[in-house]
Amino acid sequence: MQAKTWHLGDRHQSLVLASFADGLPEAVYWGAPLPAHEDLPSLAAASATDVTGGMVDRNAPISLCPEASQTFPGQVGLTGRDAEGRALLPRFRFKSETVSEHGLILVYTDSDLELSLVLDLSLTPGTSLFRMQTRLESAREITVDWLAAPVFQVPAHIGDMIEFSGRWCAEFQTRRLPFAPGARTRDNRTGRSDHAHFPGLIACSGQTCNTSGEAYAFHYGWSGGHRMVAEQLADGRRQVQFGHASASMKGDRSFSTAPLYATYSGAGFNGAAVRFQRHLRDHIVVGARQPRPVHYNCWEAVYFDHDLEELKAIATRAAGLGAERFVLDDGWFGLRDDDTSSLGDWGIDNRKYPDGLTPLIDHVKALGLEFGIWFEPEMINEDSDLFRSRPDWVLGPLDQVRGRQQLVLDMAREDVRAYLYDCISATLAQNDIGYIKWDHNRVLPVVDAAQTEGVYALIDRLRADFPHVEIESCASGGGRIDFGILERTQRVWLSDSNDALERQRIQHEAALFLPASVTGSHVGPRVSHTSGRTLGMTLRAWTAAQRNLGFEMDPRELSDGEIETLKAVTGWWKANRDWMMRADILRLDASDPAVVAEQQLAGDGTRFVVFAALLRASDPILQQPLRLTGLDADARYRISLINREDAPGLSRGAPLLKEKELDVSGQYLMSHGLILPWRFPETIWVIEGHRQ
Ligand code: DGJ
């Protein structure tokens, strides 16, 4: 019997699904785009594998939901129990298909168990990113222990995986591991996407680098904690599964995964990264202010020590540096003089603000800045009026371990959400506020999807009623960064580390998924508050200028020279942000491991800027040529080193870019690369290129 087949594809990739004997579909091909004349049934037939001694008589497919009932030899796509606790072993059969130009909804049922499995896949034109979701519906009450978003096989030549870990102030750490027999499982039970578990995976070959090679990149768009399984079966096949963190799924008849975003790249990690960047910017984030404003955030200037006159003076100086938004951070509400009290009491602190926030807001607005404010809505301190009146609103047992001295509110409760909505909406309605920094400073005591759904519902309600208010997702820095939260927020606070050297690495890795327009990056104090390191203004300012620029130091600490540098870089950023905030961030493969470099290439290819930071002293004494990427080999580009005055006296030679501009072909830039002047460690070169 001929298989049913489906094709989703564009000029970057093809995905071919086949359903044999009405069983669940499997991806019989996913990779470089197939020619239009490809015969899909032949391709499906060609996918049959052999069997030999020591095997079952038919290899269970890695279908989009591998079934235990097929004697599948690895992690299955669905595990659950009926009301009596018996394991569910469905055998799904094809029921219906809905095929649209770029999407496919396939419904499979098991009539004995009265279950339906809905597989919803689409490929967004323009960004070439798949969005894939699995839904399970049951006529009877059941318990689901695991439901995977559509499952994919990773081809045999893709032997490595890059996964993400991290910690506070060191988000987006990447680790390259070989696939090996058995399963690599990440079960993020923190209840948030978390510093330690960014929900992404890149499967690649041993040769894949930023600019060439094959990669399959995945991101699970969910803020409540995910589970990932990257498994090599005993027979050598490899599969990747993503779903909600275990034990977090509730409901009795309908269960859905979050969307899994995925793409195949034949053009290295950058090929996948630009699809995530563009898709996030153009299809996930809604309502981001344009042009992206320059921030000022007062956290590292004053912490909890709010004084109206001091804040006004800081705002005046921030405006003078070029800030366009002033964010009043933690400490303005309740009796919050440190982090032991007041979360939950969202009234303005009359001791600090006897006339409310209006005098500060009026001052900020008169300077021409937008006013933003900090909330941490999902949290509660025991030392708060809210806790004294509603201890029953706390999520989990009261004797749980505290995190930053705080507890979590049960966001699944309607009354909790209504209370928070009333507090936040009153603050927004009574004050001229254009921005919320929405924080989340501890992991959850229990993992439950209902908590995340409750948060989403609250933000959605606020966004509907205050559509002009932009929201930044923060969780002790980058503890809640994912496409789920970014469907309802417009910026992420990537890290609490404002140390520019640490930022260089974090920004670089985060660009595998995040565009510049959503990624907040601030010029911190001269001596970093989280690393103790002292760094120069040039590196600090240019590092922040690689993303959505902001300032977070006390501007009164700045020397005249630092002010001059910061103003110049901010002026440059404002002059370039229109194209830069829509540019592709292409990570460069620097031959010197001490260099972190990226090239931001305008959508129309007419211009680019390269940022090349030297994190520590190089091993070789000469600067190694830096090869660019993504250019038209035949076109000529005019190259200028825009901060060449930063070359130190110890640079005694005459590399061309130190003196003048260079006109060369794209081929030269990509094949040979740029020779840059010698420099000190902890410095950055900024190079502009214009197509002639
Ligand atoms: C953690 C955030 O990451 C910081 O930027 C700051 O907002 C503090 N919380 C405030 O408590």
Side-chain angles (χ1 to χ4, degrees):
M1 185 186 143
Q2 215 181 42
K4 284 192 177 57
T5 56
W6 299 272
H7 176 253
L8 281 174
D10 59 15
R11 63 193 176 85
H12 299 293
Q13 58 188 321
S14 287
L15 172 67
V16 179
L17 302 180
S19 167
F20 298 92
D22 280 345
L24 284 175
E26 54 192 283
V28 292
Y29 179 88
W30 184 19
L34 293 168
H37 57 73
E38 192 76 69
D39 180 51
L40 300 186
S42 304
L43 204 145
S47 71
T49 51
D50 209 351
V51 289
T52 182
M55 297 175 79
V56 291
D57 296 339
R58 194 173 58 81
N59 291 317
I62 299 181
S63 71
L64 267 53
C65 186
E67 292 167 298
S69 59
Q70 308 288 314
T71 322
F72 185 72
Q75 162 82 46
V76 297
L78 161 65
T79 52
R81 289 161 284 145
D82 65 15
E84 280 75 49
R86 285 182 302 249
L88 294 171
L89 296 172
R91 301 165 69 89
F92 286 108
R93 287 290 166 268
F94 177 79
K95 170 132 184 287
S96 67
E97 61 182 348
T98 309
V99 181
S100 59
E101 197 185 346
H102 305 292
L104 192 58
I105 300 174
L106 302 175
V107 181
Y108 284 73
T109 54
D110 180 316
S111 47
D112 293 340
L113 295 173
E114 297 187 288
L115 291 174
S116 299
L117 193 75
V118 183
L119 301 161
D120 188 343
L121 292 86
S122 59
L123 179 64
T124 305
T127 61
S128 199
L129 198 67
F130 283 105
R131 181 186 192 279
M132 309 187 280
Q133 207 162 1
T134 301
R135 199 166 71 245
L136 179 71
E137 273 152 22
S138 171
R140 312 171 198 161
E141 262 187 36
I142 57 168
T143 303
V144 168
D145 299 312
W146 169 243
L147 180 64
V151 175
F152 285 92
Q153 183 167 351
V154 171
H157 63 280
I158 297 296
D160 286 358
M161 60 179 118
I162 293 179
E163 56 157 41
F164 296 84
S165 57
R167 60 163 167 83
W168 177 68
C169 285
E171 293 81 349
F172 283 92
Q173 296 178 28
T174 53
R175 190 159 289 113
R176 196 167 184 145
L177 305 169
F179 274 92
R184 170 89 185 149
T185 302
R186 296 291 297 269
D187 197 12
N188 168 14
R189 300 175 54 76
T190 65
R192 62 181 185 184
S193 21
D194 204 58
H195 308 79
H197 303 280
F198 173 75
L201 181 79
I202 302 175
C204 59
S205 81
Q207 288 75 44
T208 308
C209 60
N210 288 317
T211 52
S212 67
E214 288 186 288
Y216 292 81
F218 302 86
H219 167 64
Y220 192 62
W222 172 244
S223 314
H226 74 289
R227 181 160 187 256
M228 178 209 82
V229 180
E231 183 176 28
Q232 180 167 310
L233 306 179
D235 58 32
R237 291 177 296 166
R238 294 166 182 149
Q239 62 161 343
V240 171
Q241 299 193 2
F242 274 90
H244 281 18
S246 54
S248 71
M249 223 161 204
K250 293 230 177 83
D252 48 22
R253 307 218 167 186
S254 182
F255 305 82
S256 181
T257 69
L260 175 66
Y261 298 91
T263 196
Y264 159 80
S265 163
F269 301 130
N270 286 338
V274 299
R275 294 191 200 141
F276 280 98
Q277 293 167 18
R278 292 177 190 172
H279 193 85
L280 180 57
R281 186 189 61 217
D282 297 340
H283 297 283
I284 301 286
V285 169
V286 180
R289 200 93 70 243
Q290 301 300 339
R292 304 301 293 140
V294 178
H295 269 237
Y296 176 78
N297 182 300
C298 70
W299 177 240
E300 294 202 350
V302 300
Y303 293 101
F304 299 99
D305 200 3
H306 290 205
D307 174 85
L308 179 60
E309 292 313 317
E310 206 169 8
L311 285 166
K312 281 183 180 173
I314 288 173
T316 304
R317 293 211 183 205
L321 294 169
E324 298 163 314
R325 171 185 280 155
F326 177 94
V327 180
L328 183 66
D329 211 281
D330 195 354
W332 59 269
F333 55 91
L335 298 169
R336 181 118 166 133
D337 295 334
D338 56 32
D339 60 13
T340 61
S341 88
S342 301
L343 290 174
D345 296 347
W346 295 109
I348 298 165
D349 184 343
N350 295 326
R351 301 166 311 158
K352 298 178 186 171
Y353 299 97
D355 300 312
L357 294 174
T358 307
L360 179 59
I361 295 178
D362 285 349
H363 180 83
V364 165
K365 302 287 294 189
L367 293 166
L369 278 67
E370 180 178 80
F371 187 83
I373 196 161
W374 182 94
F375 280 100
E376 194 179 3
E378 298 143 73
M379 301 292 159
I380 180 167
N381 282 119
E382 281 151 283
D383 184 4
S384 69
D385 291 342
L386 183 64
F387 183 82
R388 284 182 278 275
S389 65
R390 297 310 309 246
D392 56 317
W393 280 6
V394 167
L395 181 70
L398 282 180
D399 62 357
Q400 65 184 269
V401 178
R402 274 61 176 152
R404 206 192 189 197
Q405 285 101 218
Q406 64 203 46
L407 295 158
V408 186
L409 288 168
D410 183 350
M411 298 297 293
R413 289 181 66 135
E414 181 96 45
D415 48 2
V416 170
R417 294 199 301 270
Y419 168 80
L420 291 171
Y421 175 85
D422 289 346
C423 294
I424 299 170
S425 62
T427 311
L428 297 180
Q430 288 155 24
N431 298 282
D432 191 353
I433 293 173
Y435 192 80
I436 292 176
K437 178 177 176 185
W438 188 298
D439 211 341
H440 183 284
N441 285 306
R442 59 156 291 174
V443 299
L444 303 189
V446 289
V447 198
D448 185 350
Q451 179 75 7
T452 306
E453 277 149 15
V455 179
Y456 285 176
L458 174 61
I459 302 180
D460 290 347
R461 187 174 171 204
L462 287 162
R463 287 278 306 151
D465 292 349
F466 300 91
H468 64 285
V469 177
E470 205 175 281
I471 302 179
E472 172 175 34
S473 175
C474 172
S476 303
R480 187 155 62 185
I481 297 178
D482 58 80
F483 281 23
I485 202 73
L486 277 159
E487 276 179 21
R488 22 192 76 83
T489 56
Q490 291 73 31
R491 191 183 200 252
V492 295
W493 183 224
L494 186 62
S495 178
D496 271 356
S497 172
N498 287 321
D499 175 312
L501 292 180
E502 293 177 352
R503 274 277 168 166
Q504 280 289 334
R505 187 202 59 75
I506 302 170
Q507 289 180 176
H508 192 69
E509 305 293 20
L512 288 167
F513 295 91
L514 304 182
S517 55
V518 306
T519 310
S521 192
H522 296 175
V523 181
R526 189 180 304 129
V527 181
S528 165
H529 289 190
T530 54
S531 70
R533 201 182 266 133
T534 304
L535 292 169
M537 179 55 85
T538 310
L539 178 70
R540 278 148 62 209
W542 282 118
T543 299
Q546 289 177 236
R547 301 292 185 267
N548 184 186
L549 173 67
F551 318 137
E552 194 167 334
M553 84 304 275
D554 186 336
R556 296 169 300 180
E557 79 165 27
L558 298 177
S559 67
D560 290 348
E562 287 171 325
I563 290 173
E564 197 187 323
T565 304
L566 186 50
K567 275 182 160 174
V569 173
T570 304
W572 179 91
W573 190 82
K574 285 182 176 172
N576 286 278
R577 64 181 154 187
D578 284 349
W579 72 269
M580 266 179 65
M581 292 297 104
R582 296 199 57 75
D584 291 334
I585 303 172
L586 302 171
R587 296 159 26 117
L588 296 177
D589 293 313
S591 8
D592 181 347
V595 171
V596 170
E598 71 181 31
Q599 176 185 333
Q600 298 194 8
L601 179 63
D604 62 5
T606 56
R607 62 191 302 177
F608 60 83
V609 57
V610 172
F611 298 95
L614 182 62
L615 303 191
R616 56 181 186 278
S618 300
D619 287 345
I621 200 152
L622 281 180
Q623 295 278 293
Q624 304 301 300
L626 182 64
R627 302 205 307 167
L628 307 191
T629 191
L631 303 176
D632 178 348
D634 294 330
R636 287 186 77 72
Y637 294 86
R638 174 153 303 167
I639 307 296
S640 44
L641 179 61
I642 67 169
N643 60 333
R644 57 186 177 214
E645 70 282 359
D646 292 339
L650 269 181
S651 158
R652 296 186 294 133
L656 187 135
L657 284 173
K658 207 168 114 183
E659 308 295 334
K660 47 179 139 162
E661 294 181 332
L662 167 69
D663 273 1
V664 275
S665 68
Q667 187 66 272
Y668 175 85
L669 292 168
M670 293 189 290
S671 299
H672 181 278
L674 290 169
I675 296 181
L676 295 161
W678 190 90
R679 48 158 155 179
F680 289 134
E682 303 181 355
T683 57
I684 188 165
W685 287 131
V686 184
I687 302 132
E688 283 184 352
H690 289 87
R691 192 181 169 134
Q692 299 300 289

